[in-house]
Amino acid sequence: MPSTTIRIGYVPEHFSTPLYIARDRGFFAENDVAVELVCCPGGTGEMTSKLQNKTLDLAIALTEGLVAGISKGQDWYKIVGTYVDAPLCWAISTGANSKHTSIDTLNKTNVAISRFGSGSHIMAYVLADQQGWLGSEKSDEVFDFEPLNNFQAMRDSVNSDETDFFMWETFTTKPYHDSGEVKRIGQITPPWPAFMFAAHVDLLQNHASDLQRALKAIEKATLLFMEQKENDSVKLVMDTLNYNEEDVRNWFKTVRYALDHSQVSSRALQVTVSTLIKAGVVEAPGLTPESLCDLQVANLV
């Protein structure tokens, strides 16, 4: 019998489809681990908050959000593995009738974000850094931020002119670009893996072996998901999320899941930390990969 039920937080997007496979095909059960999947539409910021209040045990969250959180003193979780190895492409979107037609005019504007500490918040600083807008100013003066909790509210805010733009994963946003609800004016892709696993310190202390078995079950599901990416997996994503077939097939060309979910790239964490320092998100010198991870579960390579 499993010694505990691991509550796993995830975003309701195409990346998370293997979790349903692991649950519905019995991969968790065959690995002798009990799991509850907890949908977190607010993304990384919502998940780190739920880890803090102990309503989650494990989160599949954005690398930059986890690194920034731990670097800023969020000591209730550690990185334990890698989920999506490929980087995330962020679409930059404005209102359908916005005056903004390119990234160039976004300096010192109002940004819609899901929550403070989320990817949509942190990536705005990375954008500002890439565009040369940070200069010698404090980074918090580059933009005004409007935390709106969810994707729908962010789309509504750019159309009501409450905010100027928002950043969200490109394929999740594409249906709203195609329908004309919002306007795509650019994109940004940071040089690190999109999603990592972060576990609450209590889970690590008391149920590390259950966690390792859960990671193995998810790993099996991601492998099957990618093996069937020409047929069954396309249909599964289409049915689950109501995406069109062309978009799903194009997404499969870009995504890459980690082959070993307990591995974490030291170099990827170093690049993330150095980028976040440069963007003014975390303070130098930054944490080492060893400080960001729990090494009884994570295998740094």
Side-chain angles (χ1 to χ4, degrees), residues 28-264:
F28 291 121
E30 71 184 31
N31 274 272
D32 193 30
V33 62
V35 159
E36 177 190 346
L37 299 181
V38 181
C39 183
C40 298
T44 298
E46 179 181 350
M47 284 187 259
T48 55
S49 294
K50 285 185 170 176
L51 283 167
Q52 183 179 24
N53 65 29
K54 300 188 179 183
T55 55
L56 282 185
D57 305 296
L58 180 67
I60 301 176
L62 292 168
T63 299
E64 61 272 23
L66 296 173
V67 169
I70 297 169
S71 300
K72 290 179 169 184
Q74 295 184 359
D75 58 359
W76 53 88
Y77 61 89
K78 291 284 188 180
I79 292 169
V80 294
T82 306
Y83 182 56
V84 174
D85 218 10
L88 196 73
C89 180
W90 293 80
I92 302 166
S93 304
T94 63
N97 300 311
S98 170
K99 64 184 178 185
H100 300 291
T101 56
S102 77
I103 295 171
D104 302 342
T105 57
L106 297 180
N107 191 14
K108 296 190 182 301
T109 57
N110 225 357
V111 191
I113 62 172
S114 55
R115 292 176 181 230
F116 288 106
S118 67
S120 57
H121 176 218
I122 293 165
M123 286 305 300
Y125 290 122
V126 178
L127 174 68
D129 178 45
Q130 283 194 3
Q131 295 296 313
W133 296 337
L134 293 180
S136 58
E137 304 172 44
K138 290 182 179 177
S139 57
D140 61 3
E141 295 173 354
V142 177
F143 299 117
D144 288 323
F145 292 103
E146 197 68 44
L148 297 168
N149 294 315
N150 64 65
F151 187 34
Q152 173 76 59
M154 293 162 73
R155 300 197 309 274
D156 291 344
S157 76
V158 293
N159 279 320
S160 68
D161 291 329
E162 179 188 0
T163 62
D164 291 277
F165 76 100
F166 67 85
M167 302 168 70
W168 208 255
E169 194 274 329
T170 191
F171 283 100
T172 310
T173 321
K174 189 175 183 295
Y176 305 98
H177 294 145
D178 291 347
S179 71
E181 180 181 328
V182 292
K183 180 171 61 179
R184 180 189 177 104
I185 60 169
Q187 67 180 47
I188 181 171
T189 304
W192 50 70
F195 291 98
M196 290 194 174
F197 294 96
H200 194 283
V201 291
D202 289 356
L203 182 68
L204 291 164
Q205 184 174 342
N206 301 317
H207 301 286
S209 60
D210 292 80
L211 168 59
Q212 289 168 322
R213 292 196 301 275
L215 292 180
K216 281 296 176 191
I218 297 169
E219 187 180 297
K220 181 177 178 179
T222 57
L223 190 63
L224 179 63
F225 185 57
M226 294 304 287
E227 282 176 355
Q228 299 181 339
K229 68 178 185 178
E230 297 300 327
N231 40 63
D232 291 5
S233 295
V234 172
K235 186 175 187 310
L236 182 59
V237 175
M238 289 170 63
D239 291 348
T240 306
L241 292 159
N242 202 26
Y243 286 5
N244 72 52
E245 182 174 347
E246 182 184 5
D247 288 349
V248 176
R249 291 192 181 279
N250 284 333
W251 172 69
F252 268 116
K253 293 173 186 174
T254 70
V255 73
R256 185 176 65 253
Y257 288 86
L259 295 177
D260 180 347
H261 281 5
S262 64
Q263 279 194 354
V264 179

